[in-house]
Amino acid sequence: MLNYHHSSRCYAALLCAILAVACSRPSSIEDKVESYLSQMTLEEKIGIIHAQSKFSSAGVPRLGIPELWTDDGPHGVRPETLWDAWASAKWTNDSATAYPSLTCLAASWDRELAALYGRSVGEEARYRGKDVLLGPGVNIARTPLCGRNFEYMGEDPYLAGELCVPYIKGVQSNGVAACIKHYCVNNHEVNRHTVNVNVSDRALHEIYLPAFRKAVLEGGVWSMMGAYNLYKGEHMCHNDVTVNKILKGDWGFDGALISDWGGTHDTDEAVRNGLDLEFGTRTNGIDLNVSNAYDNYYLAEAYYQGIKSGKYSEDELDDKCRRVLRLMLRTSMNPDGGLGSLNSPEHWADARKIGSEGIVLLKNEGAVLPLKEAPRKVLVLGENAIKPMAVGGSSSSLKAQHETSILDGLKAALPSTEIVYERAYQGDPVIKGYNYSFYDITDPRSDEQLLEDALAAASDADYVIFVGGLNKAKFQDCEGQDRLEYHLPYNQDAIIGAIAAVRPDLIYVNVSGSPVAMPFADEVSAIVQAWYLGSETGNALADVLTGKVNPSGKLPFSFPREYADCPIRTEAQYPGIKGEDGISQCDYSEGIYVGYRWYESQNIKPLFAFGYGLSYTSFSYGEARASSSKMGRSLTVSVPVTNTGDRAGAEVVQLYVSALNSSVDRPVKELKGFEKVWLEPGQTKTVKFALDEESVSYYDEGLGRWVAEKGEYEALVASSSDDVRAKVRFTKN
C-alpha cells in the first residue's frame, strides 16, 4: 500500500519559497507543469489525484508542492469539517458572509453584479486558504420540484451562461478556482446516484450543455465537478461522451475534472474517461476502511497496482497530473491572488446589493408598495420573517457571521414605526446546520391559536406583511431530496387566504429558491419574490419594501399555476422508472421544451412568466431597428427605452429570436440577449444587441453540429417572455 505524508500548507509554502530561490524555475505555467511532472515518482503522481481528507488532496512536499483545499460554495465559504468525517471541526473562526442564492443572482440579470459576487466570495475563499470553490451551479430548472433549484441559475441556458462567466472570472481573479457544477443533466435529486438520463443530442446541446460550454470557452474555468447521475449507462464523473469527447475534446478544457463527493464508481472508467481528481469515495477514515483509508479510492491503490502490472499505461496518469498541477499552479501556488478578506463591511454591502437587486416584484395592485414613510403600525406575519436560512440545505449550509432576519430588517428601516409580529403558522421550528449547529424557534401555541392571533392583530395595522414560502429543511429547498408537492407547505395557502379575506391589501413575501403555487395570488395586493438572501436578508428586503431600492429583478424561471401545467407529466419523465439492476431510466422526452419554451408551445399561460418583474416606475419601448435586413455573420438590433415614471430605476430589456420558416421544429422564441439599463425619470437610452450566427442556430443531430439555417427570423424586444414590446424582421443568408 502507498504511504502518503501529510504536510501543512505553511510547511509546503516555505519549501516552495526556498526552492524558488535556490534554483531557476521555468517561467510559464506549462513549463512548470512539465518540470514538476518530470521529477515526480509514480507514487507521488498517484498521490495528487485523489483526496487525502474530506476536502483536500495531497501535495508533494519534496518538490515544494502544497496541498490543494476545496470548499463549498457557491453562496459562501463553508465551515470546517473534521479531517476524515462530515462532522463539524468546531472551529470558532470559520464563520463567513452568506451571500444570496444563485437564483437571486440570476434574477438580477446583471453581469456586473455577477462579477462582483464572484470577486467578493472569492476573497473570502482566499482568506480562508481555499484553492477551489465548488460553484457556481448551472443545472437547468427542468422541474420546480428539484431540491437544488435554489443553487442554480434558472431555466434558460443563455441566461445561466451569461451570468456564470463573470462569476467565474471574479472568483478566479483571487487565485481561487471556480468549479462549475454539476456536469451534466443533473436536474433532480431523487435517486440521483442511480438515475440514467435518456436525453436527445439536440436537447443536450441546446438546453443542458450551453452554460458549461460558455464557462469553459468564455469563462476559462479552471475546474469542473462531475454529477452523480448516469448518461448512456456511465456515471457523469467518468463518462466517455460528455468528458472525453465533449468537455476535453470539442471544448478543449485544460482544467481538472473533479468528482462530486462519492461520485466515482469504477477504476477502469475513472482512468479512461477523464476523471482527474477523486473525492469522497466510500470511506470516512474512522469506522470504514480505517487502514490507509484513502488508498481504497478508485484512483489510488487500484490504479497504482494497475500501472505496475501493465494494465494501464502512465499516459492517462500524466494527463491527470498535468491538469491537477496546472490547477495547483493557478491556485495554491499562485502568489498573485492577494490575501483576501473575510466578513468585511464591504462584503456585507455586496451581499445586500446583490440581494436587493435580485428581489422580484410580482404584483403591486393599487401601488401598495413601497411602504409610505414612517407608517404608524406594521404587522409582520409568518415563520420566515424570523427563521434563519443560511443554515440548512445540506452542502449549501453556512455558518454566517451574522444573519439579519426580515423582522429585524424592517425594524431597523422603520425606527419610528410600531412593528408587531405574529407567527401565523409553524413549520420546522428546529433548524439544523450541516452537522454543526441548530436553532430552536418553537412556538407553544396550537395552529388554530396562531391563526386566530394573527387575524386579531391584522385589524388595526397600516400594513400587513405575510412572509412565507419554503425553507431549507428536507423535502423543500435542500440537497438530497426533492419537494413532495408544488403547493406551499404547512397549510400556508389556506392561512394566507384567511388573512387576505380580512385584509385584501395584504403584502405577501415569498421566500423560496423555486417556483411555488400561489392560489391566493388574486386575493392579495402585492407579491414579492425574496429568495434566500444570506447575511443581509432583512436589510435587502427592507430596502425594496420601503422604496430605498427600486425593484429591478426579473424571474429566471416561469411560475406555472399548477404542477400539471409543467412539461414533466409522467413517471418515466420524472423521477424515472427503476429497473431490475437498480438503475432508474429517466426520459427527457419533452426534449428542448423546458420552461417558457414549453408553456408557449402549448399555449399555457403561467402565473408569472420567465423574465417577468415589476418596478416602482414604468418604462416604454420605442421602435426596434436592425442594422441590416439581412444577416451575414452578424447584425445589431437597437431599441430606445424610456423611463416614463417619476422614480429612477432599472429595466431588464430582453431580446428573443424566433425562426419563422424553419425546416425543423423550433421553440416559439428563445432568449438571445439582455441588457439591464438604469434610467432617471424621463430619460431615454438606446439599448443595442449584437446577434451572430449562434443566435439563430439549432443543433442538428444528423450532422452532429450547430446549423445556422437560411430563412426569415424575427427579433423580439421584450420586458418578459410574454410581454413583447417591439419586433423587427431579418433574413439569414
Side-chain angles (χ1 to χ4, degrees):
M1 300 291 283
L2 303 179
N3 184 19
Y4 303 128
H5 299 281
H6 304 150
S7 65
S8 70
R9 178 181 292 269
C10 292
Y11 175 62
L14 177 62
L15 279 176
C16 189
I18 292 172
L19 287 170
V21 173
C23 61
S24 175
R25 290 279 183 134
S27 58
S28 75
I29 282 183
E30 296 308 311
D31 287 344
K32 291 177 182 178
V33 165
E34 295 305 321
S35 176
Y36 282 125
L37 187 64
S38 68
Q39 300 175 70
M40 292 171 65
T41 65
L42 176 60
E43 290 84 354
E44 288 168 341
K45 291 178 182 179
I46 293 288
I48 69 168
I49 64 168
H50 66 81
Q52 64 167 5
S53 75
K54 275 295 178 189
F55 282 96
S56 71
S57 60
V60 184
R62 181 179 67 85
L63 298 178
I65 301 173
E67 302 160 336
L68 187 78
W69 281 87
T70 69
D71 198 281
D72 286 312
H75 305 135
V77 184
R78 184 177 178 167
E80 302 298 330
T81 64
L82 295 176
W83 185 267
D84 288 312
W86 292 110
S88 169
K90 296 184 178 179
W91 288 17
T92 58
N93 62 345
D94 59 345
S95 62
T97 301
Y99 293 85
S101 65
L102 288 189
T103 45
C104 178
L105 175 62
S108 76
W109 293 62
D110 191 322
R111 298 175 181 87
E112 291 183 3
L113 204 65
L116 173 69
Y117 194 133
R119 288 195 303 272
S120 192
V121 72
E123 287 173 357
E124 298 229 339
R126 182 74 177 190
Y127 184 92
R128 285 273 302 279
K130 307 303 180 184
D131 305 308
V132 180
L133 187 71
L134 304 178
V138 294
N139 295 103
I140 296 298
R142 176 176 178 254
T143 167
L145 299 184
C146 176
R148 299 189 84 170
N149 279 341
F150 74 99
E151 296 186 54
Y152 303 140
M153 294 189 183
E155 72 185 25
D156 184 80
Y158 181 83
L159 176 63
E162 286 295 298
L163 293 182
C164 79
V165 167
Y167 178 106
I168 289 165
K169 290 181 177 179
V171 170
Q172 294 184 171
S173 67
N174 295 282
V176 174
C179 183
I180 196 162
K181 62 183 187 182
H182 302 89
Y183 184 70
C184 57
V185 285
N186 182 167
N187 308 103
H188 66 262
E189 293 294 285
V190 177
N191 302 325
R192 58 181 179 166
H193 293 272
T194 56
V195 62
N196 184 71
V197 171
N198 301 307
V199 60
S200 69
D201 285 351
R202 185 177 176 193
L204 181 70
H205 285 271
E206 290 191 17
I207 304 296
Y208 300 104
L209 289 182
F212 291 104
R213 178 176 179 267
K214 193 164 286 190
V216 173
L217 299 182
E218 297 181 25
V221 71
W222 294 340
S223 62
M224 186 175 291
M225 181 188 291
Y228 283 134
N229 55 287
L230 299 90
Y231 168 70
K232 293 188 180 297
E234 292 180 342
H235 281 90
M236 300 307 304
C237 290
H238 35 70
N239 189 288
D240 184 47
V241 173
T242 59
V243 178
N244 286 342
K245 292 183 172 60
I246 297 175
L247 176 64
K248 295 183 176 181
D250 296 345
W251 300 347
F253 175 62
D254 72 352
L257 179 71
I258 300 175
S259 75
D260 203 344
W261 273 235
T264 311
H265 298 270
D266 182 84
T267 297
D268 283 348
E269 287 189 9
V271 170
R272 297 190 170 105
N273 291 346
L275 180 63
D276 300 310
L277 192 49
E278 177 186 3
F279 277 97
T281 299
R282 61 176 185 170
T283 178
N284 59 20
I286 297 174
D287 56 16
L288 180 64
N289 293 336
V290 295
S291 176
N292 289 324
Y294 298 97
D295 275 350
N296 290 294
Y297 275 32
Y298 294 101
L299 289 182
E301 181 69 12
Y303 192 12
Y304 175 80
Q305 294 298 338
I307 291 176
K308 297 289 285 185
S309 69
K311 181 179 182 181
Y312 308 119
S313 74
E314 281 195 57
D315 292 343
E316 295 93 348
L317 176 60
D318 285 348
D319 179 70
K320 298 177 193 300
C321 288
R322 285 187 179 94
R323 293 173 181 274
V324 174
L325 287 168
R326 191 177 294 124
L327 180 61
M328 290 172 165
L329 286 161
R330 287 167 168 170
T331 59
S332 62
M333 301 175 73
N334 180 359
D336 299 325
L339 299 176
S341 59
L342 186 71
N343 288 319
S344 66
E346 291 80 6
H347 288 176
W348 300 338
D350 294 343
R352 184 170 181 169
K353 179 177 176 62
I354 295 163
S356 64
E357 293 201 23
I359 291 171
V360 185
L361 180 62
L362 296 175
K363 183 179 181 180
N364 195 20
E365 191 174 273
V368 65
L369 289 173
L371 305 176
K372 66 182 180 182
E373 187 175 350
R376 176 186 60 86
K377 184 177 181 179
V378 173
L379 172 63
V380 180
L381 302 172
E383 181 175 281
N384 282 356
I386 62 170
K387 193 181 187 80
M389 294 289 191
V391 294
S394 194
S395 66
S396 69
S397 188
L398 296 169
K399 185 195 289 186
Q401 196 274 345
H402 77 279
E403 183 177 354
T404 303
S405 72
I406 290 172
L407 180 61
D408 287 342
L410 284 168
K411 287 180 177 178
L414 301 169
S416 61
T417 297
E418 180 185 2
I419 307 287
V420 179
Y421 174 72
E422 282 292 342
R423 184 72 166 257
Y425 74 95
Q426 183 166 222
D428 292 286
V430 179
I431 307 108
K432 290 187 177 181
Y434 203 33
N435 292 307
Y436 63 85
S437 65
F438 72 92
Y439 296 87
D440 190 340
I441 54 174
T442 301
D443 194 303
R445 290 174 289 177
S446 67
D447 292 343
E448 294 76 14
Q449 190 63 52
L450 287 169
L451 178 55
E452 184 179 328
D453 292 346
L455 290 169
S459 61
D460 69 336
D462 293 354
Y463 292 98
V464 181
I465 303 171
F466 189 103
V467 185
L470 307 178
N471 57 47
K472 293 169 78 175
K474 289 184 177 181
F475 301 108
Q476 294 199 44
D477 282 327
C478 181
E479 179 192 4
Q481 306 91 21
D482 289 337
R483 292 162 58 193
L484 301 178
E485 61 177 343
Y486 184 51
H487 282 259
L488 294 177
Y490 319 126
N491 199 35
Q492 287 180 80
D493 291 348
I495 293 169
I496 295 167
I499 296 167
V502 299
R503 289 299 300 256
D505 59 347
L506 179 65
I507 298 164
Y508 174 61
V509 175
N510 186 68
V511 177
S512 75
S514 296
V516 299
M518 295 184 187
F520 49 81
D522 293 336
E523 303 168 30
V524 302
S525 289
I527 301 175
V528 178
Q529 177 62 32
W531 316 110
Y532 300 110
L533 301 179
S535 290
E536 291 292 306
T537 291
N539 294 326
L541 181 61
D543 285 345
V544 170
L545 295 181
T546 61
K548 181 178 180 180
V549 170
N550 191 346
S552 60
K554 302 270 189 171
L555 290 179
F557 37 55
S558 312
F559 272 59
R561 291 184 180 275
E562 294 289 343
Y563 187 75
D565 291 342
C566 296
I568 313 303
R569 299 186 168 195
T570 68
E571 182 184 1
Q573 286 179 293
Y574 168 80
I577 298 175
K578 185 169 289 189
E580 294 182 359
D581 58 358
I583 301 298
S584 296
Q585 298 297 327
C586 188
D587 298 332
Y588 283 32
S589 53
E590 72 282 359
I592 60 174
Y593 290 100
V594 176
Y596 68 91
R597 292 167 170 82
W598 164 261
Y599 300 114
E600 293 181 346
S601 73
Q602 301 298 310
N603 291 315
I604 297 173
K605 184 173 177 58
L607 178 63
F608 300 112
F610 172 78
Y612 174 79
L614 301 174
S615 171
Y616 294 149
T617 188
S618 57
F619 302 94
S620 67
Y621 289 59
E623 181 182 357
R625 297 181 181 276
S627 58
S628 173
S629 62
K630 296 181 179 180
M631 171 188 273
R633 293 189 178 275
S634 65
L635 63 77
T636 300
V637 173
S638 60
V639 63
V641 180
T642 303
N643 182 343
T644 55
D646 58 4
R647 289 173 177 262
E651 169 73 337
V652 177
V653 184
Q654 301 157 43
L655 183 73
Y656 297 82
V657 171
S658 178
L660 300 180
N661 54 1
S662 178
S663 64
V664 298
D665 188 29
R666 302 286 292 266
V668 174
K669 59 179 177 290
E670 297 177 278
L671 182 71
K672 295 299 179 181
F674 64 87
E675 293 294 335
K676 193 167 190 175
V677 56
W678 176 266
L679 295 167
E680 296 293 331
Q683 185 180 15
T684 299
K685 289 183 180 178
T686 297
V687 180
K688 295 182 178 182
F689 300 97
L691 293 178
D692 56 17
E693 289 190 331
E694 186 173 334
S695 305
V696 299
S697 295
Y698 70 92
Y699 188 83
D700 188 306
E701 294 182 331
L703 297 175
R705 61 178 175 84
W706 290 88
V707 172
E709 190 177 27
K710 296 179 180 179
E712 193 171 7
Y713 295 84
E714 197 164 43
L716 311 171
V717 182
S719 182
S720 69
S721 64
D722 68 349
D723 184 9
V724 174
R725 302 290 186 90
K727 304 177 181 180
V728 61
R729 291 192 177 190
F730 62 90
T731 301
K732 174 70 180 75
N733 293 332

